[in-house]
Amino acid sequence: ESFLLALDPANPDPHMLQAAGWVALRNMSEAMLAIARAIEKLAEGDARLPSAYNTRASYKNKTGDSIGAAADAGEAIKRDPVMADAYYQRSVALKKMGHGAASLADIKKAAELKPSDYKNMYDMGLREMGGEGSAAISAGSESALQKAWSRLRTAAGGVPPLIVGVAGASLLLFAG
C-alpha cells in the first residue's frame, strides 16, 4: 500500500490516484479494486462520488462489463443529473448490449449537456437510426456510431478518450 493510504486509510483520494495509475499501467483489475475502495469511502452527498461512479463505469466499459458500466453510469447520473460524461458511458454500455434507441437517448442527453464533446456522436447515431431513432439497427454489422467510437479509441492508443480524460481529471480532483 502507498504511503498516503497508510496516513489516512479512510481517505478516498489515494485510491482514486491508485486507480488512475493502474489504468496508465493497463492493469484494469487493480484499477477496478482501487476505484471500488474509493467509492466505499466516499460519503453519500460527496461531490466526488458521481465522478467515482462514472470512472468505474468507464473502466467497466473498457473491460466489457456493459451491464456493470450501465449500472455505475446510472448511479453517477442519479447523483449528478447533468454529468454529460456519465450519459456517454451509459450510452456506450447500452449500445454494446444492443439497446440502440436507449443508447441514442443517452448520447442525445450528453450532447445537450456538452455539445462540444458529444454533438457529432449524437448526429451520427441519429443518422444511423433513420433520423428519429425509430429504425432498427441491423444485427451483425458495425454501426456508424461503433465505428466512430472505435476510431476515437484507436486515436487514443486503444484507450477510450474519456478514460484518459477521466483519469486525468481524477488526478486533478483528488490530488487537491
Side-chain angles (χ1 to χ4, degrees), residues 86-119:
Y87 286 98
Y88 167 78
Q89 290 301 331
R90 191 168 68 182
S91 173
V92 170
L94 291 170
K95 183 72 172 174
K96 288 178 184 175
M97 292 188 291
H99 303 293
S103 174
L104 184 65
D106 273 353
I107 200 68
K108 178 181 181 185
K109 183 68 174 177
E112 290 168 356
L113 294 169
K114 205 172 187 183
S116 61
D117 288 353
Y118 301 113
K119 183 169 182 341

Side-chain angles (χ1 to χ4, degrees), residues 43-160:
E44 198 59 51
D46 189 313
R48 299 170 296 180
L49 191 56
S51 290
Y53 273 112
N54 187 58
T55 299
R56 189 166 70 179
S58 72
Y59 295 174
K60 287 181 178 181
N61 269 328
K62 181 171 177 49
T63 60
D65 179 5
S66 300
I67 294 170
D72 279 344
E75 289 297 320
I77 292 166
K78 181 170 74 174
R79 290 164 175 84
D80 184 356
V82 294
M83 181 181 275
D85 296 339
Y87 286 98
Y88 167 78
Q89 290 301 331
R90 191 168 68 182
S91 173
V92 170
L94 291 170
K95 183 72 172 174
K96 288 178 184 175
M97 292 188 291
H99 303 293
S103 174
L104 184 65
D106 273 353
I107 200 68
K108 178 181 181 185
K109 183 68 174 177
E112 290 168 356
L113 294 169
K114 205 172 187 183
S116 61
D117 288 353
Y118 301 113
K119 183 169 182 341
N120 288 339
M121 285 183 193
Y122 171 66
D123 290 344
M124 284 188 291
L126 193 60
R127 282 192 300 273
E128 168 190 297
M129 296 292 286
E132 297 300 317
S134 59
I137 299 173
S138 62
S141 65
E142 189 176 24
S143 70
L145 198 51
Q146 287 169 323
K147 287 177 185 173
W149 284 327
S150 294
R151 282 193 302 270
L152 287 172
R153 277 194 296 277
T154 301
V159 178

